Amino acid sequence: MGGKYRGDGGGSQSQESVWDYPRPPRIEADTRHVVVCHAGVTLADSRRCLRVLETSHPPVFCIPRADVRLEFLSASERRSVCEWKGVATYWNLALASDRPPEPDVAWSYEAPHPGYASIRGHLAFYPDRVDACTVDGERVRAQPGGFYGGWITDEITGPFKGGPGTVGW
């Protein structure tokens, strides 16, 4: 099994393979400093995130609503279903009233399935739909494909689901 970043501020970082993550997904607390910014505005700033870890996917960082600038977000019409977590609600971003909102920059599970209740009240951002997402100052790279929204950092190794030819994984 690959190494693990403890996320408690006291451990050392080592490689973490997405192929060591479980299915169904596991949720774990992470106290690293997570920041989401767009157009010069800090949308989220937290040290109280939850990571969703699932086989073949980079982690998704779920940020508590209390650490998100909710005044810039509104629920969109879009919904999707995860067999494990339930129905996802998507969120549009509007920083200025004179510009159209940016669609579906984040998502949440408002009524998650049993076993995933801890992510209720958290939002996850797509790193390729905002200007920057960072973990302890490291800029995150987006999971390929644009659907899943995982956050790739230097400690995470793949290959990752999401790109061409990976649908059947």
Side-chain angles (χ1 to χ4, degrees):
M1 206 167 205
K4 183 172 178 74
Y5 184 91
R6 297 184 321 149
D8 62 6
S12 63
Q13 185 172 314
S14 62
Q15 292 289 232
E16 193 173 285
S17 171
V18 299
W19 292 96
D20 289 337
Y21 294 161
R23 187 164 174 83
R26 178 177 74 235
I27 297 173
E28 64 180 32
D30 194 302
T31 60
R32 290 177 288 173
H33 190 203
V34 169
V35 177
V36 177
C37 296
H38 190 71
V41 176
T42 298
L43 301 175
D45 188 329
S46 185
R47 291 183 181 272
R48 305 178 304 140
C49 294
L50 298 174
R51 286 195 320 159
V52 178
L53 308 175
E54 181 175 358
T55 304
S56 77
H57 297 271
V60 168
F61 280 78
C62 297
I63 304 168
R65 272 187 166 80
D67 298 343
V68 176
R69 302 277 307 273
L70 297 174
E71 69 267 27
F72 297 121
L73 298 171
S74 62
S76 80
E77 298 293 319
R78 182 177 174 205
R79 301 291 184 271
S80 66
V81 177
C82 169
E83 65 182 306
W84 309 110
K85 297 177 287 294
V87 176
T89 298
Y90 291 81
W91 297 87
N92 297 330
L93 172 64
L95 292 177
S97 59
D98 62 338
R99 293 188 356 216
E102 306 205 29
D104 305 331
V105 300
W107 74 97
S108 64
Y109 292 93
E110 299 301 301
H113 287 166
Y116 294 92
S118 62
I119 61 173
R120 182 188 332 261
H122 290 68
L123 278 88
F125 285 83
Y126 284 98
D128 58 351
R129 297 183 189 179
V130 294
D131 289 342
C133 297
T134 61
V135 177
D136 274 349
E138 179 187 348
R139 190 180 186 109
V140 169
R141 298 168 307 280
Q143 180 174 3
F147 178 74
Y148 295 109
W151 290 24
I152 302 171
T153 55
D154 289 344
E155 84 231 17
I156 305 300
T157 62
F160 308 111
K161 184 173 184 173
T166 65
V167 162
W169 287 9

